[in-house]
């Protein structure tokens, strides 16, 4: 048996949803993570600071009493976002960051941005006050192949933002391509990227081999093996520009197993076990703590957590629970296609 002690990690990209789903999934994150950036794509979306405050209260009410957890709230950018309201909400610490969804890019993103130039005054304000911008980096043009949408976004949109506002603190979230790793690595000092456990673990075969696998369908969509390997290389490197954002995204099984299945993978339950195994497989366990516990805090100018967690490697592989059950409903828990021998000591 092998054991490592590391700083308690943070998750820099979480979907908690709302209502009964929120109550069920929040403890799956809070049992292992100290902080998380919470996405604002509810129905209706979080558009104002007061909305974020109320949502944060609902999240905090779902945290088990024996756990400490800090949700960092975000605002959903639209072409009507008022830069003065945004500044005030940020100054009051009602919100931590703002999220840019291209309209129609993913779940509940219909209110997102169609014309980037219309939000440039807001982005200029964010650069001025030091407020982070989080980006779902895909174009949504029908003529662009779904597997190419991240690269096209980088070329046509992200590069423009970075050149116009080099001081803006930007996180390109859940990157999926080799091109993204190269652009972020070579980009300006304020540009970083998050990587999910499922994009590190799977390539696009996982959606199609042996039939359609709806529970492995996510956006941005899984890519070729060459891209998965590039992500793994970036995550396990000593670069401070890449860190964990799980993009854990719960959907009820009926919403996934349907004629028009929802995009999203719920991975928070065994996230740390899967990551430890991936890093172990690459002989890179020495970089795990940096990837999940240090780099994100550094980018966001936050203190490193003081708490510690212990990961234990057993000779017997972990048996994954298949579903998160609540109120006679269930959410499929992500399981990779390889054996996992690491678990978090409770």
């Amino acid at each position: 048996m092998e054991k490592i002690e590391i700083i308690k990690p943070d998750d820099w990209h979480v979907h908690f949803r709302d209502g009964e789903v929120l109550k069920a999934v929040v403890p799956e994150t809070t049992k292992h993570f100290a902080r998380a950036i919470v996405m604002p794509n509810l129905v209706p979306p979080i558009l104002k600071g007061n909305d974020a405050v109320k949502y944060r209260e609902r999240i905090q009410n779902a945290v088990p009493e024996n756990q400490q957890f800090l949700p960092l709230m975000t605002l959903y950018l639209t072409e009507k976002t008022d830069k003065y309201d945004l500044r005030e909400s940020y100054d009051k610490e009602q919100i931590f960051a703002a999220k840019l969804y291209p309209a129609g890019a993913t779940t509940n993103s219909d209110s997102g941005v169609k014309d980037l130039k219309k939000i440039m005054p807001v982005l200029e304000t964010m650069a001025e006050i030091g407020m982070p911008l989080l980006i779902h980096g895909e174009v949504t043009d029908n003529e662009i192949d779904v597997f190419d949408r991240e690269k096209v976004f980088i070329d046509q949109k992200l590069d423009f933002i970075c050149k116009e506002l080099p001081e803006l603190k930007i996180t390109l979230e859940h990157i999926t391509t080799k091109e993204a790793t190269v652009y972020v690595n070579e980009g300006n000092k304020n540009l970083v990227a998050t990587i999910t456990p499922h994009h590190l673990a799977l390539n696009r075969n996982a959606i199609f081999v042996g039939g359609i696998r709806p529970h492995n369908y996510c956006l941005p969509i899984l890519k070729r093996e060459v891209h998965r390997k590039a992500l793994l290389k970036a995550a396990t490197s000593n670069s401070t520009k890449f860190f964990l954002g799980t993009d854990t995204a719960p959907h009820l099984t009926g919403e996934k197993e349907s004629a028009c299945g929802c995009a999203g993978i719920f991975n928070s339950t065994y996230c740390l076990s899967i990551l430890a195994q991936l890093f172990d497989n690459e002989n890179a366990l020495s970089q795990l703590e940096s990837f999940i516990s240090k780099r994100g805090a550094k980018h966001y100018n936050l203190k490193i957590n003081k708490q510690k967690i212990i990961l234990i490697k057993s000779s017997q592989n972990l048996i994954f629970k298949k579903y998160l059950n609540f109120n006679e409903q269930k959410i499929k828990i992500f399981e990779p296609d390889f054996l996992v021998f690491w678990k978090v000591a409770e």
Side-chain angles (χ1 to χ4, degrees):
M1 192 163 65
E2 189 177 342
K3 181 170 70 173
I4 58 173
E5 183 179 77
I6 61 173
I7 295 166
K8 193 171 186 179
D10 302 301
D11 186 348
W12 302 109
H13 186 144
V14 168
H15 295 272
F16 282 143
R17 310 304 185 202
D18 214 344
E20 294 305 307
V21 172
L22 177 146
K23 294 175 185 176
V25 302
V26 163
E28 297 297 286
T29 290
T30 61
K31 67 183 177 182
H32 293 155
F33 294 93
R35 297 172 291 206
I37 293 182
V38 182
M39 295 298 109
N41 57 330
L42 305 182
V43 180
I46 303 298
L47 300 176
K48 301 283 187 180
N50 288 336
D51 298 332
V53 170
K54 293 175 183 176
Y55 186 31
R56 180 169 59 201
E57 290 173 354
R58 298 197 294 276
I59 293 168
Q60 289 172 326
N61 287 337
V63 177
E65 290 183 2
N66 63 336
Q67 295 172 359
Q68 290 186 325
F69 177 74
L70 178 64
L72 301 166
M73 309 310 294
T74 56
L75 206 64
Y76 188 117
L77 286 181
T78 73
E79 293 173 7
K80 296 181 180 180
T81 299
D82 185 281
K83 64 181 182 180
Y84 300 106
D85 285 346
L86 179 136
R87 180 192 288 266
E88 182 180 6
S89 298
Y90 185 68
D91 288 344
K92 290 181 176 180
E93 298 185 352
Q94 295 175 322
I95 54 174
F96 178 77
K99 180 64 179 273
L100 169 58
Y101 288 105
T106 190
T107 303
N108 301 337
S109 63
D110 293 343
S111 301
V113 175
K114 295 180 180 179
D115 184 353
L116 201 57
K117 293 181 179 178
K118 291 185 178 179
I119 65 165
M120 286 306 290
V122 171
L123 300 187
E124 289 166 3
T125 297
M126 292 175 62
E128 179 185 336
I129 63 179
M131 181 180 181
L133 172 67
L134 317 176
I135 300 179
H136 182 114
E138 292 188 289
V139 295
T140 56
D141 313 58
N142 288 332
E143 65 271 18
I144 304 298
D145 189 288
V146 67
F147 292 100
D148 297 330
R149 290 181 175 182
E150 181 176 278
K151 183 182 183 305
V152 173
F153 182 90
I154 291 170
D155 294 341
Q156 295 184 357
K157 310 291 184 181
L158 180 61
D159 194 57
F160 169 77
I161 298 173
C162 288
K163 287 177 178 176
E164 289 291 310
L165 298 168
E167 296 307 311
L168 179 60
K169 193 179 288 289
I170 299 174
T171 303
L172 183 60
E173 298 196 302
H174 45 50
I175 62 170
T176 63
T177 60
K178 181 178 180 180
E179 289 82 3
T181 66
V182 172
Y183 186 84
V184 170
N185 240 339
E186 297 176 353
N188 71 50
K189 61 181 173 63
N190 293 309
L191 174 66
V192 299
T194 57
I195 307 178
T196 78
H198 48 277
H199 286 107
L200 289 172
L202 304 178
N203 62 37
R204 67 187 190 179
N205 285 347
I207 310 173
F208 305 113
V209 171
I212 297 296
R213 307 287 181 171
H215 293 288
N216 288 336
Y217 171 58
C218 57
L219 288 173
I221 199 165
L222 298 169
K223 304 297 195 299
R224 292 178 182 271
E225 177 66 2
V226 63
H227 298 295
R228 187 194 72 84
K229 287 183 176 178
L231 298 179
L232 196 54
K233 182 179 178 181
T236 57
S237 73
N238 60 7
S239 172
T240 60
K241 286 202 158 201
F242 304 99
F243 49 84
L244 176 65
T246 68
D247 192 20
T248 183
H251 291 285
L252 300 178
T253 52
E255 297 170 344
K256 294 287 289 181
E257 300 169 1
S258 70
C260 189
C262 295
I265 292 175
F266 178 66
N267 61 39
S268 57
T269 304
Y270 298 107
C271 172
L272 298 187
S273 295
I274 293 166
L275 289 172
Q277 190 64 57
L278 282 164
F279 277 63
D280 191 7
N281 293 346
E282 297 297 308
N283 295 315
L285 277 174
S286 61
Q287 293 296 336
L288 180 63
E289 184 179 59
S290 179
F291 180 71
I292 66 177
S293 307
K294 292 182 177 180
R295 299 176 192 170
K298 179 181 178 182
H299 173 69
Y300 293 118
N301 297 321
L302 297 172
K303 292 181 179 179
I304 302 294
N305 296 318
K306 293 182 179 179
Q307 311 101 301
K308 297 290 184 72
I309 64 166
I310 294 174
L311 290 162
I312 298 171
K313 184 179 183 181
S314 173
S315 58
Q316 181 65 43
N317 64 283
L318 197 60
I319 304 300
F320 281 59
K321 183 173 64 174
K322 298 295 183 182
Y323 297 98
L324 179 67
N325 296 290
F326 65 101
N327 295 350
E328 299 183 351
Q329 301 183 93
K330 57 184 181 180
I331 295 167
K332 181 71 173 67
I333 297 171
F334 174 60
E335 183 173 357
D337 57 3
F338 51 82
L339 295 179
V340 174
F341 294 88
W342 289 90
K343 66 178 181 179
V344 181
E346 302 298 340

